[in-house]
Each structure stands twice: as C-alpha cells, then as structure tokens.
Amino acid sequence: MKVYKFGGASVRNADGVRNLRRIIDDERQLFIIVSAMGKTTNALERVFGAVQRRDAAAAEAEIASIRAAHEAIVEELWHAPHRIERVEALFADLEAFAGSDGYRPAEAEAWYDRIVAYGELISTTIISEYLRYAGVDNTWIDMRRALRTEQRHKDAEVDLEASAPLLKEAVAAARSSICVGQGFIGGAPDGTTTTLGREGSDYSAAVVANILDAESMAVWKDVDGVLNADPKIFPDAVQIAELNYLDTIELAYSGAQIIHPRTIKPLQNKNIPLYVRPFGDKRKPGTVIRGMSAKVDVPILILKKEQVLLTIRSRDFSFVLEEKFAQIFSLLERFRLKVNLVHNSAVNLSLCVDASWHVGEAVDALRKGGFDVMRTEAMELLTIRGYTDELWERYACSPQVFIRQSTQSTVRIVRKRA
C-alpha cells in the first residue's frame, strides 16, 4: 500500500484532475488523500465570515460562485454538462447550514469546521466519480468517520489509537484496492466535524500511512521537490535532494511550507519515507525525507507571514517574569494562539504569534490579568538556517527588524512587513 496526497493546486482545474489520473495509472494498492480544489477553502472561509456577520445574501452569493467553479470543472471532465447527485446534495446541505439562523459566537470554531470541510468532501466526490468514469475503480472514504480526533475544533489532533480500527474497517470494506479520502478533516468523539489546521491534508495522509503500514507516502506539489526557500519570495531558491525527519520537523515548526508540522511523527514512528514530488512530471525524483540523509549544504530561508508581536510586561515591574510564564502561556493556549518565537528580558516578554481573530481577546484577557500589553500588527518571522555573512547583512541588519535571535547556525528575525 502506498499513500498519495494531492493538494488544492494540483487539482485546481480539469487538467489537474486528469493529471492525477495519469499519475496513479500504474498503482494497484493505493490510498489517495485529496485537498479542496484550488482556493475553495479560502472561499468557504468567506462563507463562514458572512455567517458570522449574519449576512445571508453574501454567504449565498459565495456558495453560488463555488458551485459554478466546480460545475465548470465537472463539465470539462465529462465533455458535457454532467450532474453528480452526491455533489448536488453536498451543496444543498452547505446552503441549508450556512443559511440557518443557529450560529452562536461561542460555537465559532465548530461552525468554521463544518463549513470549510465541504471543500474536501466535494473535491473527493468529483475525483472519485471521474476516476470511475475514466476506468479506475475506487472507493470513496468519509474521513470524518475514519479518523477520530480530539474534541477540539479548527486545529484538532488525530487520536491514532482510536482511528486505527475505524480506518482499517473502512479499507477492509472497500470494494476496490484504490481508496479516495479527504485531507484536513476528521470527526470528534461527539460526532461533529473537525479540521486539522490549514495544510492539514499532509497530516491526514501521514496518519493513514501509519495506520495502514504503507511502504511510502508521496506529496505531489507544483514544485520539483523541497526547495531551500519559497521561489515566489526568494527567486534564487534551489532544490534539496534529501532531508532527514529531524531537520524537516525543525523547518516545519519554523513555518516552512514543506509539510504540515504534525506530519513527520506518524511517519517516523513506522520509518516510512516521504517523497515530495512534482505534480507536473512524475518521472522526476523530487525530494525524499527519511531517517538518515546527506547534510544540507545550502542556507534555508523560511518566511512566516501574518504575524503579530505581543510585548507583555507585569504591572508590578516584577524582575522575575518567568514566574508569570505559566499564567501567560495557559491563557494563550485557551485562545489557541500559536507562539512562534519567545524573547524575554527582566521585565518584558515578547511573543511572535500567528494572526487570528482571537488575538484581541487574548490581549484583553492579559490586561485583565494584570499585564500591560503592546500589540504590533503586520509582522513577519524570517528564519535562516545555515546563514552566511552576506545573508546576515542583508536581512538581520535591516531597520525593519524588531527582534533578532541567533545561534551558531540559525538566525530568527521578527520584522515589520515590507
């Protein structure tokens, strides 16, 4: 058994779906994990935003646009107008849910998960139907029933022990040796839909590979493999032939868009190699990630955007701020803020966190808890592993830099967005 994961960019149009069919052509024992098509998740987030504002007309218009985009893909795949009843039913369900008046702010994360999950449900339904139409027998798997997560929304973790019998049972009951399942989504113990965090489809695929003892996992992307930097930001980026699990975890934690941060552990536990391969040409080897690898001999640059810098000070000017750490981090966890960098002095604690709608709530709670908080928006976190003197001069000495942390091999820079 192999596990293949296809991201949204890979299946953003009919050509992408047909290319997926060509990539899997020689496979016989395969579990395919697929993301929402193109920018569908972003569009569904706008639907959720309209629901939050109680703007039914905006939600309806956004859903109509999503429906039209998927109908165009289906029409091109079948070379004629074609109706897929299960897709129609999913859109009807989405419209009914988004148009209901049951939304409560206290249930925001649960509503978010329920709405954005339709992207994966619709994409996999279309792809499963198309593969069958193109002669590839397959079984569609509902990952909300096959992966059990913790009772947490918007960033849930999969319970491997609870999920194993569910997924194995689903695969055993499949009528074919090729299965198609959704990335990014699972089901909580109470039966509600959960999501695994943005880019969580990689994590879904790794969990499937672990449970099914896959011989390998492959992530098909629109690049030739893992690059040392995002080529859209750093034009001189080059490919890395191989990485080990440890380096990959470090890079993912720093914000590299190589792989979801939780992906590596399920693979490492079973020593399953991960291949990052180019969707456009399956003959190219891509990059392999495994237990042991050659040393990476080029600097790696990782830019994490949409950051907020929180500078926290105890009002009693305590010179032992470490005593307050437990209180501060417990509060941040309550509001689900991901801390990407910590910098402290005698009286100040500076935290670089992901921007989210909960930042304001967390700041208010910190202030009520006896802290002064300065909030700086529009920040970025740049991590350079294996930095050179030239890179230090170019990035670490800029007047836009607020915080600079360095070790012998790595520098991390919190800076104002350009």
Side-chain angles (χ1 to χ4, degrees):
M1 172 72 75
K2 295 179 183 178
V3 175
Y4 281 2
K5 180 261 176 175
F6 295 91
S10 300
V11 293
R12 67 184 182 274
N13 54 32
D15 284 342
V17 176
R18 284 191 285 260
N19 195 39
L20 181 154
R21 163 70 177 83
R22 287 191 290 271
I23 287 174
I24 70 167
D25 197 38
D26 299 327
E27 302 297 340
R28 295 296 175 263
Q29 297 284 330
L30 185 64
F31 200 111
I32 304 169
I33 290 289
V34 186
S35 300
M37 291 176 160
K39 301 293 185 181
T40 301
T41 300
N42 293 342
L44 287 165
E45 286 180 337
R46 292 193 292 272
V47 173
F48 172 69
V51 170
Q52 283 187 302
R53 300 190 306 272
R54 304 188 186 280
D55 187 343
E60 184 179 347
E62 195 67 58
I63 293 170
S65 177
I66 297 169
R67 182 196 288 268
H70 285 81
E71 286 177 346
I73 291 173
V74 170
E75 181 172 343
E76 187 174 346
L77 287 171
W78 270 264
H79 307 290
H82 181 74
R83 187 173 185 272
I84 302 176
E85 290 187 4
R86 288 196 300 149
V87 172
E88 293 296 325
L90 287 167
F91 272 113
D93 191 41
L94 170 59
E95 288 168 342
F97 184 67
S100 68
D101 59 0
Y103 176 76
R104 301 290 180 271
E107 301 169 349
E109 278 84 6
W111 275 68
Y112 173 92
D113 283 359
R114 173 79 181 270
I115 289 172
V116 300
Y118 283 100
E120 276 69 20
L121 294 169
I122 292 166
S123 71
T124 52
T125 301
I126 291 172
I127 287 168
S128 177
E129 289 286 335
Y130 173 73
L131 290 177
R132 199 170 294 116
Y133 164 76
V136 180
D137 192 23
N138 70 94
T139 300
W140 185 87
I141 302 288
D142 188 341
M143 301 305 284
R144 297 171 298 177
R145 309 288 173 258
L147 293 187
R148 177 67 52 79
T149 72
E150 60 185 325
Q151 189 63 50
R152 176 186 175 102
H153 291 281
K154 209 166 182 285
D155 188 24
E157 188 164 355
V158 176
D159 183 335
L160 270 171
E161 185 176 352
S163 298
L166 300 175
L167 180 63
K168 288 178 179 178
E169 182 181 350
V171 171
R175 67 175 188 276
S176 59
S177 62
I178 294 178
C179 295
V180 178
Q182 310 80 42
F184 180 57
I185 68 174
D190 68 354
T192 56
T193 299
T194 55
T195 63
L196 312 181
R198 290 301 297 264
E199 309 301 329
S201 294
D202 293 340
Y203 178 37
S204 298
V207 168
V208 170
N210 176 288
I211 292 173
L212 300 181
D213 294 313
E215 64 178 86
S216 66
M217 170 181 157
V219 176
W220 297 87
K221 301 177 76 72
D222 57 356
V223 292
D224 284 347
V226 175
L227 307 181
N228 73 320
D230 184 342
K232 297 173 185 174
I233 303 171
F234 305 99
D236 53 352
V238 297
Q239 184 178 340
I240 300 171
E242 55 185 272
L243 284 164
N244 60 51
Y245 292 135
L246 183 60
D247 283 344
T248 306
I249 291 171
E250 290 281 358
L251 296 176
Y253 176 79
S254 298
Q257 298 300 305
I258 299 171
I259 213 78
H260 190 280
R262 291 176 180 161
T263 300
I264 297 302
K265 188 174 186 297
L267 300 175
Q268 184 181 25
N269 288 350
K270 296 283 186 78
N271 198 29
I272 299 169
L274 168 61
Y275 295 90
V276 180
R277 302 186 62 186
F279 183 73
D281 188 351
K282 70 176 186 178
R283 296 169 299 178
K284 293 183 178 179
T287 298
V288 60
I289 299 169
R290 54 193 171 198
M292 301 292 290
S293 70
K295 186 177 182 298
V296 178
D297 57 2
V298 293
I300 297 175
L301 293 84
I302 306 156
L303 183 64
K304 196 170 180 65
K305 298 183 177 182
E306 304 303 326
Q307 299 295 292
V308 177
L309 181 63
L310 302 179
T311 302
I312 304 165
R313 175 181 295 171
S314 179
R315 290 201 182 112
D316 62 6
F317 286 91
S318 168
F319 282 87
V320 193
L321 189 59
E322 287 85 350
E323 294 177 358
K324 311 285 187 179
F325 279 13
Q327 177 186 352
I328 293 169
F329 282 93
S330 175
L331 189 149
L332 295 175
E333 169 62 21
R334 173 152 54 97
F335 289 100
R336 302 185 180 187
L337 294 187
K338 184 177 185 299
V339 178
N340 299 308
L341 179 138
V342 178
H343 186 81
N344 69 291
S345 64
V347 294
N348 286 339
L349 175 66
S350 295
L351 304 173
C352 186
V353 303
D354 286 346
S356 84
W357 68 63
H358 292 305
V359 171
E361 297 170 322
V363 169
D364 290 342
L366 284 165
R367 287 170 177 162
K368 289 177 183 176
F371 298 97
D372 288 327
V373 184
M374 183 171 69
R375 172 180 171 179
T376 309
E377 304 275 358
M379 304 299 289
E380 298 175 334
L381 174 61
L382 175 64
T383 301
I384 308 175
R385 297 193 67 190
Y387 64 89
T388 61
D389 290 343
E390 189 271 331
L391 291 173
W392 176 276
E393 289 293 327
R394 188 190 309 176
Y395 296 111
C397 300
S398 165
Q400 299 295 99
V401 172
F402 279 53
I403 295 173
R404 179 177 57 226
Q405 290 182 348
S406 64
T407 65
Q408 190 173 12
S409 62
T410 301
V411 60
R412 307 192 77 202
I413 299 161
V414 180
R415 68 185 191 184
K416 196 71 176 176
R417 188 172 63 212

